[in-house]
């Protein structure tokens, strides 16, 4: 018997901008423990095997950070706190309902574009 595939992947941005950079950062002294909180919360719920948290670099939504992307569903959550992460786990991951008020605003997250369409837009 093989290892089951995770039902969810949670990509948490762990990018931190160097001091003095003009753009905001998903990891600051105030938010540096959010990934650890996410992983510990999944462990406490007993679902770490079926929900895979993944540290990722910049997802280009710096002004909305801290952010994380939940797959499947392509749901990006913004402005994360420990309390928001706990609610996302409870309602989305366990309950199957997206926590709409934490989802990144539509104007910051357009529909996906295929690589072929992107190349065409770039004149390539």
């Amino acid at each position: 018997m093989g290892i089951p595939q995770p039902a969810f992947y949670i990509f948490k941005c762990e990018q931190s901008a160097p001091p003095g950079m003009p753009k905001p950062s998903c990891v600051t002294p105030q938010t540096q423990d959010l990934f650890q909180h996410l992983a510990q919360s999944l462990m406490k719920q007993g679902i770490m095997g079926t929900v895979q948290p993944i540290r990722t670099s910049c997802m280009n939504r710096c002004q909305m950070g801290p952010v994380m992307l939940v797959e499947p569903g392509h749901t990006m959550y913004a402005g994360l706190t420990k309390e928001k992460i706990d609610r996302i786990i409870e309602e989305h991951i366990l309950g199957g309902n997206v926590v709409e008020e934490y989802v990144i605003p539509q104007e910051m997250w357009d529909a996906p574009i295929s690589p072929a369409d992107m190349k065409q837009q770039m004149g390539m």
Side-chain angles (χ1 to χ4, degrees):
M1 183 169 145
I3 298 170
Q5 292 184 38
F8 291 96
Y9 293 91
I10 300 177
F11 299 90
K12 165 67 181 66
C13 178
E14 288 291 285
Q15 187 70 40
S16 61
M21 289 295 289
K23 75 176 191 170
S25 180
C26 279
V27 177
T28 66
Q30 297 78 27
T31 64
Q32 65 187 0
D33 60 348
L34 289 180
F35 185 85
Q36 181 178 357
H37 179 80
L38 170 64
Q40 288 176 337
S41 296
L42 295 170
M43 283 189 265
K44 285 179 189 172
Q45 290 282 354
I47 58 173
M48 183 63 107
T50 192
V51 181
Q52 181 67 56
I54 300 168
R55 295 177 190 263
T56 186
S57 60
C58 187
M59 291 192 275
N60 297 315
R61 299 299 178 269
C62 307
Q63 64 278 20
M64 299 301 299
V67 298
M68 69 184 191
L69 178 65
V70 176
E71 293 291 353
H74 213 59
T75 305
M76 182 170 278
Y77 289 108
L80 295 173
T81 64
K82 290 178 182 178
E83 294 76 21
K84 287 180 180 181
I85 288 172
D86 291 342
R87 186 167 168 211
I88 292 163
I89 291 170
E90 193 66 37
E91 294 183 26
H92 184 161
I93 303 303
L94 292 171
N97 299 307
V98 172
V99 185
E100 294 293 342
E101 64 257 41
Y102 302 160
V103 173
I104 195 163
Q106 190 61 42
E107 63 270 10
M108 299 301 296
W109 188 246
D110 263 342
I113 184 170
S114 73
D117 288 343
M118 178 62 90
K119 284 188 73 157
Q120 188 175 21
Q121 281 187 7
M122 301 296 291
M124 301 174 92

